[in-house]
């Protein structure tokens, strides 16, 4: 896998206090990005395009899941339209809007993204990097 995957991360896991609700939510919002369930266990589901990159699960220690302050995760979209579809699917599936789709000049001209809060309160983003608009210069 490591030779075929350009990502620097193996996977990300988030906890939920309502597993069925969370899995239904991520089923709905990841479909517009071309993601699917890759692995399933009784209290954990892994999503990806090919590999198990994003996990939703009940906490293994049995304690309630909590949201990290300053933490968010971003899913890579293949187009601006996919970012828009992700945002619409997320709101329809119960997310709270935390930043409508659009350019984010602070992140550079190629950046187009959106932010939502999932039903557990996790901050979730989708973005498209339009390389034809140039690279972001270091600040």
């Amino acid at each position: 896998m490591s030779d075929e995957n350009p990502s620097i991360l193996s996977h990300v896991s988030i906890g939920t206090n309502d597993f069925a609700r969370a899995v239904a939510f991520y089923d709905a919002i990841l479909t517009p990005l071309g993601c699917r369930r890759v692995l399933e266990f009784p209290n954990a589901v892994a999503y990806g395009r090919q590999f198990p990159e994003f996990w939703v699960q009940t906490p293994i220690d049995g304690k309630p899941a909590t949201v990290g302050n300053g933490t968010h995760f971003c899913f890579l979209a293949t187009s601006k339209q996919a970012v828009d579809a992700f945002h619409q699917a997320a709101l329809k599936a119960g997310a709270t809007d935390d930043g409508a789709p659009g350019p984010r000049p602070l992140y550079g001209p190629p950046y187009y993204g959106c932010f939502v809060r999932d039903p557990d309160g996790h901050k979730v983003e989708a973005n498209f990097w339009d390389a034809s608009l140039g690279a972001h210069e270091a600040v």
Side-chain angles (χ1 to χ4, degrees):
M1 179 173 114
S2 61
D3 293 338
E4 302 168 15
N5 185 351
S7 178
I8 65 168
L9 296 175
S10 170
H11 65 276
V12 173
S13 298
I14 63 162
T16 181
N17 294 308
D18 187 336
F19 183 71
R21 178 188 69 187
V23 169
F25 178 81
Y26 284 100
D27 283 348
I29 72 167
L30 292 176
T31 298
L33 302 180
C35 299
R36 62 181 176 82
R37 291 185 189 193
V38 177
L39 291 173
E40 295 184 49
F41 297 96
N43 293 308
V45 170
Y47 295 89
R49 291 190 178 111
Q50 295 179 338
F51 310 108
E53 299 172 66
F54 179 73
W55 289 82
V56 176
Q57 61 193 44
T58 57
I60 291 177
D61 65 5
K63 296 178 183 173
T66 59
V67 177
N69 183 27
T71 302
H72 83 274
F73 45 92
C74 180
F75 295 105
L76 187 60
T78 56
S79 67
K80 291 178 181 179
Q81 294 79 14
V83 171
D84 296 344
F86 169 92
H87 189 259
Q88 291 171 2
L91 296 180
K92 185 176 179 182
T96 303
D97 184 18
D98 208 21
R104 299 290 190 274
L106 177 64
Y107 304 152
Y111 201 94
Y112 183 92
C114 70
F115 294 90
V116 298
R117 295 279 178 169
D118 78 3
D120 282 297
H122 297 287
K123 189 171 186 176
V124 186
E125 178 183 8
N127 89 296
F128 172 65
W129 185 264
D130 188 347
S132 71
L133 297 177
H136 178 63
E137 295 181 20
V139 194

